[in-house]
């Protein structure tokens, strides 16, 4: 396979050179001389992006399904580990093809057909990075107010500008700067997060925690899906962006392992600790919905607030940097013909506008965001199932030039994959419900298969669903598993022909 930069559909050639430390490589193939990363290098970006104290606050959403502490621990560990292991499988494609994730998915969807999941991927990344920037802004305002330094509009404006500036600057600089930055942030944020645990452990009331009532299997399933979409599945569409610099002879098992370890270890531990905190204090459990980081800060003595703020903001910025870097690559894969740094800057402008809107205009953002997450989680899970099956079926590296040529072996459209994604999404949306109807009424159209299948009943008077599996959001799991199985069977011959084995 070729290892030199190749032309995109417009026939132009882009040289992968770095000027003044800025990565100018866009979606073109990474040259062999640039592929020097080792599997263990994948630990740093994934760990730094997920060691955020926001993981502690996520526990409140898990307990919101009405399950016990033990049940919550089980679904947290399973959901986090499984979802990041799926990211590790997607990361294998980066080693095999030296291109960003959504470009590599052209092998499964066709060079032009990839734009269908590409739009979903771009929206998901934009949503995540804006969400993280919003959290950082609100956390700054809350802690400044607690310190007596203000916390009103002026503080929020400055915080939003600083956070957006940090995110955009790092993402514009690109892969090499981000990898160095993440390795440093890992130690800083990790150390202060440990300090937070030490300073708040006395707030844990094990009597209250262990007395939490158990929930149904449907409630556990719903919590599991929320954890999977909130962690690994929220990153799965960018997983190969960081492995495309891996050596071709790198161990596939090591890539999956380091990716999973880096992504899963921090959130698994932090969410479990958060379950103990939220289960001990009703004020923490209810306050997290409006300001997750700020609520956690209320448990700290004043002298710890500044280092806590630094750790919280840096961890959130770290996650947002990964998102905006990859959303820029996805934007390029959709046919936008601008340099990679400019694509990151465009997404940075969108992030900034979104942050200002939510912080200064919208009254609530956590609930609409969760509704948004589940909605996009269905087609994204379908894409992941198709992509994982495609990776499992392949025996050879990708034909890198064909990834940019609709007349090549991957073709312009793979209608099997498109139909699978559309069909799985339609079925999946029928099995998820909008848990936040008051704050996100635009999403009340979902759940249309629950009553026909006997999985739930709509209570029009109360405005809620009844039934064991009504809020389990089975549609996400269905889209993932069904798309995987259909692709594994229906595209086996297609992949064999693409690789010249049939």
């Amino acid at each position: 396979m070729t290892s030199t930069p190749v032309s995109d559909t417009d026939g132009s050639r882009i040289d992968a050179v770095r000027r003044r430390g800025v990565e100018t490589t866009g979606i073109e193939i990474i040259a062999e001389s640039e592929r020097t990363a080792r599997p263990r290098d994948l630990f740093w970006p994934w760990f730094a992006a997920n060691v955020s104290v926001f993981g502690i606050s996520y526990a409140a959403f898990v307990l919101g399904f009405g399950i016990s502490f033990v049940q919550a621990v089980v679904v947290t560990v399973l959901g986090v580990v499984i979802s990041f292991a799926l990211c590790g499988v997607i990361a294998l494609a980066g080693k095999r093809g030296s291109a960003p994730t959504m470009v590599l998915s052209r092998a499964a969807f066709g060079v032009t057909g990839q734009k269908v999941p590409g739009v979903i991927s771009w929206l998901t990344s934009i949503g995540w990075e804006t969400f993280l920037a919003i959290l950082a802004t609100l956390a700054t305002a809350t802690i400044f107010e607690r310190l007596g330094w203000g916390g009103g509009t002026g503080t929020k404006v400055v915080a939003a500008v600083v956070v957006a500036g940090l995110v955009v600057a790092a993402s514009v600089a690109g892969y090499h700067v981000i990898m160095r930055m993440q390795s440093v942030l890992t130690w800083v944020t990790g150390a202060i997060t440990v300090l937070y645990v030490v300073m708040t452990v006395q707030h844990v009331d094990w009597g209250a925690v262990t007395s939490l009532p158990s929930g149904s299997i449907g409630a556990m399933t719903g919590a599991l899906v929320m954890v999977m979409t909130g962690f690994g599945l929220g990153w799965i569409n960018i997983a190969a962006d960081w492995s495309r610099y891996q050596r071709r002879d790198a161990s596939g098992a090591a890539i999956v392992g380091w990716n999973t370890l880096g992504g899963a270890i921090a959130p698994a531990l932090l969410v479990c600790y958060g379950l103990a905190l939220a289960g001990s204090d009703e004020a923490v459990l209810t306050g997290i919905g409006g300001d997750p980081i700020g609520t956690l800060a209320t448990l700290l003595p004043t002298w710890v607030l500044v280092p806590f703020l630094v750790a919280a903001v840096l961890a959130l910025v770290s996650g947002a940097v990964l998102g905006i870097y990859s959303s820029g690559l996805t934007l390029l894969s959709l046919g936008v013909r601008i340099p990679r740094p400019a694509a990151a800057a465009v997404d940075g402008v969108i992030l900034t506008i979104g942050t200002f809107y939510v912080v200064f205009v919208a009254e609530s953002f956590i609930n609409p965001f969760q509704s948004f997450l589940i909605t996009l989680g269905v087609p994204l899970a379908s894409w992941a199932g198709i992509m994982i099956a495609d990776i499992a079926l392949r025996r050879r590296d990708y034909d890198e030039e064909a990834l940019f040529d609709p007349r090549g072996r991957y073709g312009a459209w793979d209608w099997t994959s498109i139909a699978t994604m559309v069909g799985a999404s339609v079925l999946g949306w029928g099995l998820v419900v909008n848990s936040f109807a008051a704050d996100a009424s635009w999403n009340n159209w979902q759940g249309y298969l629950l009553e026909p299948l006997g999985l739930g009943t709509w209570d029009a008077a109360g405005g809620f669903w009844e039934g064991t599996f009504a809020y389990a959001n089975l549609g996400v799991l269905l889209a993932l598993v069904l798309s995987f199985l259909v692709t594994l069977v229906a595209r086996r011959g297609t992949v064999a022909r693409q690789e010249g084995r049939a």
Side-chain angles (χ1 to χ4, degrees):
M1 303 299 176
T2 182
S3 61
T4 57
V6 298
S7 58
D8 205 340
T9 53
D10 62 350
S12 63
R13 297 186 67 86
I14 310 170
D15 294 325
V17 296
R18 282 176 280 160
R19 300 184 179 92
R20 290 178 247 178
V22 175
E23 179 201 18
T24 57
T25 305
I27 61 172
E28 66 270 24
I29 301 304
I30 303 299
E32 291 297 320
S33 60
E34 292 287 320
R35 299 186 58 166
T36 59
R38 298 160 295 181
R40 65 174 177 267
D41 294 332
L42 292 171
F43 176 86
W44 303 111
W46 288 108
F47 185 87
N50 289 283
V51 74
S52 169
V53 289
F54 175 62
I56 298 176
S57 67
Y58 210 89
F61 308 137
V62 177
L63 291 178
F65 281 87
I67 58 179
S68 70
F69 174 75
V70 173
Q71 288 176 320
V73 169
V74 170
V75 300
T76 293
V77 174
L78 287 177
V80 170
V81 173
I82 292 173
S83 62
F84 277 110
L86 295 178
C87 285
V89 175
I90 297 293
L92 291 175
K95 187 197 80 162
R96 295 179 180 179
S98 314
T101 313
M102 298 313 295
V103 172
L104 294 168
S105 71
R106 290 174 175 177
F109 287 86
V111 175
T112 306
Q114 171 269 333
K115 294 180 180 180
V116 175
V119 170
I120 300 295
S121 173
W122 184 76
L123 289 173
T124 302
S125 295
I126 286 289
W128 264 114
E129 65 205 29
T130 304
F131 173 68
L132 296 174
I134 291 165
L135 286 182
T137 301
L138 292 179
T140 301
T142 300
I143 293 175
F144 268 48
E145 183 177 6
R146 171 96 181 272
L147 290 168
W149 298 350
T153 301
T155 300
K156 292 179 180 178
V157 169
V158 173
V161 170
V162 171
V163 168
L166 289 172
V167 173
V168 174
S171 58
V172 166
Y175 172 85
H176 303 283
V177 170
I178 292 173
M179 292 296 285
R180 291 194 296 269
M181 181 191 77
Q182 300 290 59
S183 64
V184 174
L185 289 182
T186 292
W187 295 104
V188 174
T189 57
I192 300 178
T193 300
V194 170
L195 175 63
Y196 178 86
V197 172
V198 172
M199 297 301 299
T200 58
V201 69
Q202 73 271 15
H203 291 279
V204 175
D205 180 352
W206 286 111
V209 171
T210 55
S211 65
L212 292 172
S214 297
S216 65
I217 186 65
M220 287 186 68
T221 305
L224 175 68
V225 173
M226 177 62 74
V227 170
M228 290 181 67
T229 54
F231 288 100
L233 290 185
W235 297 101
I236 199 165
N237 57 313
I238 70 171
D241 295 359
W242 306 97
S243 56
R244 62 195 177 119
Y245 282 91
Q246 292 285 315
R247 295 169 55 95
R248 287 193 186 274
D249 59 359
S251 165
I255 287 176
V256 175
W258 282 108
N259 196 109
T260 304
L261 181 65
I265 187 171
L269 293 174
L270 291 174
V271 175
C272 287
Y273 179 67
L275 293 171
L277 279 182
S280 301
D281 191 335
E282 185 67 25
V284 173
L285 185 64
T286 57
I288 279 173
D291 184 3
I293 307 300
T295 299
L296 294 177
T298 62
L299 303 179
L300 293 172
T302 303
W303 69 269
V304 185
L305 290 179
V306 172
F308 174 77
L309 173 63
V310 171
V313 171
L314 288 180
L316 294 169
V317 165
S318 175
V321 165
L322 293 193
I324 199 171
Y325 173 83
S326 292
S327 69
L329 294 175
T330 301
L331 192 63
L332 296 179
S333 76
L334 295 175
V336 178
R337 293 179 176 83
I338 56 177
R340 188 209 61 79
V346 168
D347 284 354
V349 171
I350 297 174
L351 173 145
T352 304
I353 294 173
T355 301
F356 270 84
Y357 172 77
V358 170
V359 171
F360 298 107
V361 178
E363 296 181 358
S364 171
F365 77 94
I366 291 291
N367 289 349
F369 174 76
Q370 291 186 79
S371 184
F372 163 83
L373 186 66
I374 289 294
T375 301
L376 288 187
V378 172
L380 195 61
S382 175
W383 170 87
I386 293 168
M387 190 67 178
I388 291 170
D390 186 79
I391 292 170
L393 289 171
R394 295 191 182 278
R395 301 291 178 267
R396 302 175 183 174
D397 287 352
Y398 293 98
D399 180 342
E400 294 167 345
E401 291 191 8
L403 291 171
F404 297 86
D405 184 3
R407 297 165 298 180
R409 68 176 66 193
Y410 303 126
W413 295 85
D414 189 300
W415 293 109
T416 301
S417 292
I418 297 294
T420 300
M421 184 173 179
V422 171
S425 297
V426 170
L427 292 174
W429 280 324
L431 294 176
V432 301
V433 299
N434 183 16
S435 303
F436 314 100
D439 295 322
S441 58
W442 42 269
N443 240 356
N444 289 340
W445 54 272
Q446 299 172 119
Y448 44 81
L449 292 179
L450 290 174
E451 288 187 315
L453 294 177
L455 296 174
T457 303
W458 175 248
D459 186 328
F464 58 85
W465 286 89
E466 293 181 337
T468 302
F469 290 96
Y471 289 94
N473 288 319
L474 294 173
V476 175
L477 296 180
L478 174 69
L480 175 68
V481 175
L482 179 63
S483 297
F484 173 82
L485 293 176
V486 170
T487 301
L488 205 61
V489 174
R491 296 193 70 251
R492 182 177 299 273
T494 300
V495 172
R497 288 191 296 273
Q498 289 176 349
E499 296 189 329
R501 294 186 282 111

